[in-house]
Amino acid sequence: MSDRHTTTAASLNVYIQGQGFPILGLHGHPGTGRSLSVFTNHLSKRYKTFAPDLRGYGKSRYNRNFEMNDHLTDLEALLDRLEIEKCLVLGWSLGGILAMELALRLPERVTGLILVATAAKPRGSHPSITWQDNLYTGVAALLNYIKPSWQWNIETFGRRSLFRYLIQQHTSTSYNYIAKEAVPAYLQTSPAATRALYSAIQSGYNRLPDLPLIQCPTLVLAGDQDRHITSDSSLETAQHLQNSRWQCYANTAHLFPWEVPQLVLSDIDRWLEEHPQVISSQKPVDY
């Protein structure tokens, strides 16, 4: 995704909260800007958060074919439209990949990165999916949407569904997020967005050699049982970054911010306190 395209930027729907230094939040696949509420509701108490629906997701409707690079064109245009000169970028899964790409493309505008369940050379360990998996997942998702966090549904269908690879802690907190944010996001994800992502994966996406070019501080967070993007591939990404902190959460998977939200948010707060330059528009002074 290194070459710029001449594609016209799509106008993205964006959710804006709070006041202060700008934090750009980028969701995963499937997802929407609202899927990041676990982060934006907290961070917007002290900062101004911007969480767009990426092209082909949520309310940013786009049905024609496009490439992953086009997301970067859209995001650069969004920063220009909102007059954001510098920002911290938080990205979850696909959003984390786009966050790294944005830092490579616009290093002067990205002050820092928070990378959640992502990797510059993503690898998965997801087992084969059976028809029973799909059946249980459909039933569990529907019942959970109608009656969020219903314990009978969690025990009867949730633990046997594909949710078992997305979360390890089958709690009411996790299932509430799935009901409110995961299911609506899935229904609003266009086939074009899915094709763009799978095309990039099939091409053997690997940005590890370019990561040393990213100089800004980076926090890399992972779930130790993540089967979609393994914690090993996230660790490998952290090791290739020049200025990174690595944190891995036990007994969690790809949706770990919905499993242990308070733990994740407290670690982000601590990292922000230790790296005040990522939430400052001031250039460092050379002595």
Side-chain angles (χ1 to χ4, degrees):
M1 290 199 296
S2 58
D3 297 328
R4 291 180 185 242
H5 287 266
T6 56
T7 309
T8 303
S11 181
L12 303 181
N13 178 61
V14 58
Y15 300 97
I16 302 174
Q17 293 173 254
Q19 295 294 326
F21 188 82
I23 297 179
L24 176 65
L26 303 177
H27 64 76
H29 175 93
T32 70
R34 291 203 183 282
S35 305
L36 298 174
S37 72
V38 65
F39 301 108
T40 57
N41 287 346
H42 175 77
L43 292 170
S44 62
K45 295 173 183 175
R46 287 173 295 155
Y47 311 105
K48 191 166 187 174
T49 61
F50 300 83
D53 294 340
L54 297 171
R55 180 187 298 214
Y57 297 87
K59 294 181 180 179
S60 298
R61 305 312 303 159
Y62 198 92
N63 294 316
R64 297 193 300 277
N65 284 336
F66 64 90
E67 298 181 16
M68 294 296 294
N69 249 325
D70 296 327
H71 288 310
L72 302 178
T73 301
D74 298 342
L75 292 170
E76 185 172 1
L78 179 69
L79 294 180
D80 291 342
R81 172 162 62 94
L82 299 175
E83 299 182 340
I84 298 173
E85 293 185 12
K86 293 181 181 294
C87 63
L88 170 68
V89 186
L90 181 153
W92 188 351
S93 194
L94 166 63
I97 291 173
L98 295 175
M100 286 182 277
E101 290 287 345
L102 209 56
L104 288 166
R105 180 166 172 161
L106 304 171
E108 71 285 353
R109 298 179 78 167
V110 176
T111 59
L113 296 172
I114 299 174
L115 304 176
V116 180
T118 193
K121 183 183 178 182
R123 295 188 299 277
S125 60
H126 203 294
S128 298
I129 298 173
T130 67
W131 68 267
Q132 291 102 325
D133 287 333
N134 286 324
L135 175 63
Y136 285 136
T137 304
V139 173
L142 179 61
L143 291 178
N144 189 56
Y145 186 67
I146 296 169
K147 188 176 181 180
S149 304
W150 184 18
Q151 197 62 38
W152 181 85
N153 179 43
I154 292 173
E155 298 301 328
T156 307
F157 295 109
R159 289 181 180 274
R160 302 178 189 178
S161 75
L162 293 173
F163 291 165
R164 70 188 187 274
Y165 300 125
L166 288 166
I167 58 175
Q168 291 294 292
Q169 301 181 30
H170 294 260
T171 63
S172 60
T173 298
S174 302
Y175 276 80
N176 260 321
Y177 277 115
I178 289 171
K180 286 191 303 179
E181 298 180 5
V183 173
Y186 174 81
L187 296 174
Q188 294 180 73
T189 297
S190 69
T194 301
R195 286 193 295 270
L197 174 62
Y198 288 163
S199 176
I201 292 172
Q202 289 167 2
S203 70
Y205 180 80
N206 178 13
R207 274 295 216 166
L208 289 174
D210 302 301
L211 291 188
L213 296 172
I214 296 177
Q215 298 293 315
C216 63
T218 304
L219 177 63
V220 185
L221 306 176
D224 71 338
Q225 298 300 311
D226 194 335
R227 307 300 287 271
H228 288 72
I229 297 179
T230 65
S231 59
D232 284 346
S233 60
S234 291
L235 175 59
E236 184 180 41
T237 296
Q239 291 169 337
H240 278 74
L241 288 161
Q242 295 290 298
N243 184 5
S244 73
R245 159 111 29 111
W246 156 258
Q247 179 75 46
C248 190
Y249 300 94
N251 189 33
T252 64
H254 196 62
L255 302 183
F256 68 85
W258 291 349
E259 298 185 80
V260 288
Q262 296 309 314
L263 190 55
V264 171
L265 294 173
S266 64
D267 286 339
I268 289 175
D269 286 344
R270 188 176 307 111
W271 181 78
L272 290 173
E273 289 173 11
E274 294 171 359
H275 297 82
Q277 69 270 38
V278 304
I279 46 174
S280 170
S281 57
Q282 301 298 316
K283 292 183 180 179
V285 179
D286 294 324
Y287 292 99

